[in-house]
Amino acid sequence: MEQGQPLYFRSGLRFLWKWISRLAAAFLLFTLLSVLAFKWINPPTTSFMLQRHLSAWWYGAQEYRMQQEWMPWERISPHLKMAVITAEDQRFATHWGIDLSSVQDALQEYERGESLRGASTISQQLAKNLYLTPNRSYLRKGLEAWFALWMELLMGKQRILEIYLNVVEFGEGIYGVEAAAQHFFGVPADRLDRYRSALMATVLPAPHRYDLAHPSPYMYERQAWILRYMNLLGNEQYLEQLD
């Protein structure tokens, strides 16, 4: 029996390694195919949208309605593109999906006794919206980074930002810039001016905490900050780096 145990153990390890290798290969294939598909095909839904639908059904929220209308890159106001970049990810044009400088800054602030803030890039936030859940964990952050890196490699900056602006939530059931612009301001997304664009960016990434229909004093302060830094980043000249 003792002589047979090492052989059985090695056989079990080979079996386990074979299945782990298969799962890893399948996950890599899923990542590549889905990211490449979204490079050309607009995602019909996202993980966040599906989870919200399921939650509404589970709790019997019959009044819940989702609003979304896809807008291509050319029909989204450049002011809004810049406002979101300024508010969410000022190094968007130069990083590869993960902003290590922002992560380091956030950790240093935490070590000084400040609250731990998020350091997710727009690419990571899109990955979370498309594939993952809002629940925080080290596993989710790892998967977020995994998908973000592949999206940066295969999609390109413009496409990442285009999808993000079309799927991110701006209010209860209001997804994407067109639905938000029409709902809150009564104008299409390509007619948003600097001031409305900056105000819209103040609700990200916490649309259930801030209300565009009734902006708080903090949101107006944040709007002024975004407008100021949009100028410092170069406004539309910054967007030329995303080509």
Side-chain angles (χ1 to χ4, degrees):
M1 290 291 293
E2 292 181 359
Q3 293 179 350
Q5 285 178 350
L7 180 61
Y8 176 81
F9 182 73
R10 289 195 297 270
S11 177
L13 282 180
R14 284 196 297 270
F15 179 81
L16 180 62
W17 175 250
K18 179 175 70 175
W19 278 102
I20 290 175
S21 300
R22 288 179 176 177
L23 288 173
F27 184 65
L28 175 59
L29 183 62
F30 166 77
T31 301
L32 295 176
L33 291 179
S34 63
V35 171
L36 278 173
F38 291 149
K39 181 177 181 178
W40 294 288
I41 302 171
N42 300 333
T45 187
T46 69
S47 175
F48 272 33
M49 292 180 193
L50 291 173
Q51 290 172 74
R52 185 64 187 91
H53 272 295
L54 180 61
S55 176
W57 171 80
W58 182 260
Y59 291 105
Q62 297 180 357
E63 72 283 359
Y64 175 78
R65 296 291 184 274
M66 192 189 84
Q67 301 177 50
Q68 186 196 28
E69 182 178 352
W70 191 276
M71 282 293 110
W73 176 264
E74 296 78 12
R75 294 181 60 188
I76 300 174
S77 167
H79 300 306
L80 184 59
K81 296 170 186 173
M82 271 309 302
V84 171
I85 289 173
T86 303
E88 297 291 284
D89 186 1
Q90 295 185 11
R91 297 187 182 99
F92 178 63
T94 56
H95 65 62
W96 279 88
I98 303 170
D99 187 350
L100 297 178
S101 298
S102 291
V103 173
Q104 185 177 15
D105 292 344
L107 291 174
Q108 290 175 349
E109 291 171 7
Y110 182 67
E111 290 173 355
R112 292 197 297 267
E114 302 178 31
S115 59
L116 184 61
R117 63 175 174 85
S120 294
T121 64
I122 287 175
S123 305
Q124 288 175 277
Q125 291 181 47
L126 176 58
K128 180 175 64 176
N129 273 265
L130 285 175
Y131 298 104
L132 306 171
T133 72
N135 300 324
R136 293 186 177 184
S137 68
Y138 289 114
L139 175 61
R140 196 212 73 186
K141 293 299 291 185
L143 290 171
E144 195 178 282
W146 165 265
F147 282 110
L149 289 169
W150 281 108
M151 288 192 300
E152 289 276 345
L153 180 63
L154 300 176
M155 280 186 184
K157 296 289 185 180
Q158 273 195 14
R159 183 57 174 166
I160 289 171
L161 185 58
E162 179 187 11
I163 297 177
Y164 180 71
L165 292 174
N166 275 285
V167 303
V168 69
E169 190 175 14
F170 285 92
E172 183 68 18
I174 302 171
Y175 294 91
V177 294
E178 178 66 13
Q182 294 282 3
H183 181 86
F184 293 109
F185 303 118
V187 299
D190 61 352
R191 292 180 55 193
L192 287 166
D193 59 21
R194 287 169 47 83
Y195 302 97
R196 287 171 172 171
S197 296
L199 189 61
M200 282 179 62
T202 64
V203 307
L204 303 176
H208 298 283
R209 186 187 309 167
Y210 306 113
D211 185 1
L212 273 172
H214 304 94
S216 65
Y218 167 79
M219 291 173 65
Y220 284 121
E221 291 177 8
R222 179 74 170 161
Q223 177 194 39
W225 182 91
I226 292 171
L227 288 168
R228 183 166 64 252
Y229 275 85
M230 284 169 64
N231 291 331
L232 292 175
L233 287 175
N235 290 305
E236 293 185 41
Q237 291 182 347
Y238 182 100
L239 297 176
E240 295 174 2
Q241 302 176 67
L242 309 184
D243 293 337

